[in-house]
Amino acid sequence: MYYPTTRLRRLRKNPVLRNMVSETRVTTDDLIMPLFAISGKNVKNPILSMPGNFQLSIDLLVEECKQLFDSGIHSVLLFGIPETKDETGIIAAEDNSIISQAIKAIKKHVPGMFVIADVCNCEYTTHGHCGTIVNGDVDNDLTLDTLAAQSVTFAKFGVDMIAPSDMMDGRVGKIRNALDKYGYYNTPIMAYSAKYASAFYGPFRDAADSAPQFGNRNSYQMNPDNSNEAMREIELDIQEGADIVMVKPALSYLDIIRRAKDTFNIPIAAYNVSGEFSMVKAAAERGWIDEERIVKEILTSIKRAGSDIIITYHAKEFAKYIK
Ligand code: PBG
């Protein structure tokens, strides 16, 4: 049946009906808010390239979590800015590391908050690379040991989920084994499976003080040219025991999200990264776009592409929009 019998505009005219036939709805249940923990007390350092985001000392991080929780955001992803750095990043695995303390404090004061720890070394190494350097490049297998140690420490302090973002081969299996060995078989792993070597991480590296001091991350993060390779990365992570797989960044990679959703029967997460956030903020500050409408449209597009979970710096404001 064709026009004039068929008229698709009929379903768009009435707002009630339009909502009834809506295919995608983002809710606060879908969202994870990234937060940055730093040592000290009453510290709130603004991250200039990411307006509204701060490096927070643990006392204020707890307050932020209370507010987020009350607004409907029930999950946070933690990144740490340590006082000192070392060659391998193993300091992150210490019992008094910044993230260990943050996990403990949030779980104590906001017990309902689902706390996810990013597991990587770049925030903790003097050189800013995601692992241990041997002959000018990140050594895969040595790095696995530091990632596993970090994961076990975070699990000991009650983290709800581990999210390895380093892109070493075999890290999901290594972390799964280590967690299981110490009895943390119920701690899920959300793997940054298809993580691309992207210019969209620029503002984050200021926020987390994690920019590589030499070279780039092209020898471990994925080439943005590739889609088939992303499917291999995801498949391997699933075989190694990932519970959730992630595509990162989100917006320039919606095709990868959709392909992953169609290929694998596993929850998919997408990371709406710092550069994607900052571009929206910069344009909104100039009055060039309607921020609220843009944010809703962006998050909807990521979900419509097939993502079940969205990690986004817009989470806090989005919760206010839909109240
Ligand atoms: C750590 C890590 C990065 C991000 C998340 N975990 C930075 C990077 O790989 O350089 C980026 C997050 C963002 O840009 O919002 N490896």
Side-chain angles (χ1 to χ4, degrees):
M1 205 102 68
Y2 297 103
Y3 169 85
T5 319
T6 298
R7 290 177 185 266
L8 294 187
R9 288 184 60 191
R10 275 186 210 120
L11 297 185
R12 297 185 197 135
K13 199 169 158 56
N14 182 298
V16 175
L17 183 56
R18 206 160 56 223
N19 283 340
M20 270 181 206
V21 298
S22 152
E23 297 176 36
T24 311
R25 211 161 297 174
V26 178
T27 75
T28 49
D29 291 339
D30 306 321
L31 305 182
I32 299 170
M33 177 77 187
L35 294 175
F36 299 92
I38 194 164
S39 60
K41 247 192 160 358
N42 206 24
V43 180
K44 185 175 184 181
N45 300 331
I47 300 163
L48 297 180
S49 54
M50 299 171 67
N53 289 266
F54 302 86
Q55 297 174 337
L56 296 172
S57 55
I58 289 174
D59 50 334
L60 298 187
L61 193 74
V62 166
E63 288 312 308
E64 180 71 10
C65 283
K66 283 183 187 158
Q67 283 181 25
L68 283 167
F69 196 85
D70 290 342
S71 78
I73 302 295
H74 295 164
S75 181
V76 292
L77 174 62
L78 298 182
F79 296 95
I81 298 106
E83 262 174 273
T84 57
K85 301 187 185 232
D86 68 11
E87 277 299 297
T88 64
I90 196 66
I91 46 159
E94 290 173 359
D95 278 358
N96 62 353
S97 77
I98 183 73
I99 294 298
S100 307
Q101 294 175 50
I103 294 165
K104 202 162 70 175
I106 298 170
K107 291 310 295 182
K108 178 168 173 205
H109 297 289
V110 198
M113 185 59 95
F114 190 81
V115 177
I116 309 167
D118 181 273
V119 165
C120 194
N121 289 310
C122 59
E123 298 125 74
Y124 307 103
T125 52
T126 46
H127 44 74
H129 276 287
C130 298
T132 305
I133 301 290
V134 177
N135 296 330
D137 192 13
V138 175
D139 183 275
N140 194 85
D141 299 4
L142 288 177
T143 301
L144 297 184
D145 292 331
T146 61
L147 299 169
Q150 219 187 95
S151 304
V152 169
T153 301
F154 297 162
K156 187 167 81 182
F157 286 99
V159 81
D160 293 300
M161 187 154 73
I162 294 290
S165 69
D166 52 282
M167 287 300 279
M168 298 302 121
D169 288 318
R171 91 274 208 214
V172 172
K174 182 88 176 187
I175 291 171
R176 183 72 273 156
N177 279 339
L179 291 172
D180 290 356
K181 183 172 149 206
Y182 288 95
Y184 303 115
Y185 48 80
N186 273 328
T187 305
I189 297 174
M190 175 170 71
Y192 288 68
S193 301
K195 176 173 176 179
Y196 287 88
S198 171
F200 284 102
Y201 309 150
F204 172 94
R205 291 180 188 170
D206 294 337
D209 187 25
S210 65
Q213 299 302 300
F214 64 89
N216 52 49
R217 304 211 201 288
N218 295 351
S219 80
Y220 42 106
Q221 298 181 348
M222 276 187 55
N223 180 349
D225 300 350
N226 297 351
S227 170
N228 293 334
E229 188 189 1
M231 298 307 110
R232 287 193 78 192
E233 283 284 3
I234 292 171
E235 187 176 10
L236 287 170
D237 281 0
I238 295 171
Q239 283 166 355
E240 288 176 33
D243 301 282
I244 298 170
V245 294
M246 192 198 300
V247 175
K248 175 184 175 190
L251 290 181
S252 293
Y253 300 85
L254 294 177
D255 58 321
I256 308 297
I257 296 173
R258 169 46 57 191
R259 199 172 161 194
K261 187 66 181 173
D262 289 342
T263 308
F264 302 103
N265 179 18
I266 191 167
I268 309 280
Y271 200 140
N272 177 216
V273 299
S274 57
E276 298 172 330
F277 171 84
S278 300
M279 291 194 305
V280 170
K281 284 288 175 186
E285 268 174 18
R286 286 165 177 70
W288 290 348
I289 56 168
D290 178 336
E291 182 173 352
E292 178 172 339
R293 287 189 57 205
I294 289 269
V295 168
K296 286 178 177 168
E297 192 170 331
I298 284 175
L299 298 183
T300 301
S301 73
I302 297 170
K303 188 161 181 187
R304 193 189 62 235
S307 195
D308 302 286
I309 299 167
I310 306 171
I311 303 159
T312 178
Y313 305 93
H314 295 297
K316 189 177 179 184
E317 282 166 309
F318 179 83
K320 289 184 196 141
Y321 298 154
I322 63 166
K323 263 246 162 354

